[in-house]
Amino acid sequence: MRPLLIHFSFEFYEEGGPIFVQIGGEGPGISSAWLNYGAWIDWAKKEKAALFILEHRYYGESKPVSDMSTENMKFLSSRQALHDLATFMANMTERFNISRPRPWVSFGCSYAGSLSA
């Protein structure tokens, strides 16, 4: 079993800036390279945002169970993914001592875009 994989950068962050989180979806995993390109990088520079990328459970390296049996698939749901995201945001706020309230802005593509919305 492996925990949820994350990548992050505070390269553009300034106190008072928002926190951007890109949600991984049903693809094979996430990459720290995503911290280097895309429209969200331009927006992070402009808005002085911190960047986080969160891998979706069951995809890539994030495996909450020891095997992919039917019984263990009960934890693969959009409801659980949103719960993971909420828990992640609270934990990162505490871990990095991000002052509250700080807006979190989520991004995603395909299924992860629906989660983001």
Side-chain angles (χ1 to χ4, degrees):
M1 296 186 297
R2 294 188 135 169
L4 297 176
L5 180 65
I6 66 167
H7 297 289
F8 59 89
S9 171
F10 283 84
E11 180 179 355
F12 314 117
Y13 183 71
E14 291 183 12
E15 183 63 36
I19 312 300
F20 289 177
V21 59
Q22 188 168 138
I23 307 167
E26 68 278 20
I30 63 171
S31 168
S32 62
W34 295 357
L35 294 171
N36 301 313
Y37 66 90
W40 82 313
I41 299 300
D42 296 332
W43 300 327
K45 289 176 183 176
K46 179 181 177 190
E47 301 298 328
K48 312 296 187 221
L51 301 168
F52 287 90
I53 305 169
L54 175 64
E55 187 171 69
H56 192 297
R57 65 170 55 206
Y58 287 88
Y59 296 102
E61 297 181 31
S62 299
K63 305 287 189 219
V65 294
S66 59
D67 65 73
M68 302 296 267
S69 66
T70 301
E71 175 63 20
N72 284 335
M73 296 308 284
K74 67 184 176 187
F75 302 111
L76 176 58
S77 70
S78 56
R79 181 181 304 265
Q80 185 61 55
L82 291 173
H83 180 73
D84 288 345
L85 182 59
T87 301
F88 170 78
M89 291 164 58
N91 288 338
M92 294 303 102
T93 297
E94 183 176 327
R95 177 179 173 186
F96 291 101
N97 198 26
I98 298 169
S99 59
R100 296 179 184 168
R102 196 59 56 232
W104 282 78
V105 180
S106 62
F107 297 84
C109 181
S110 186
Y111 162 64
S114 295
L115 291 175
S116 180

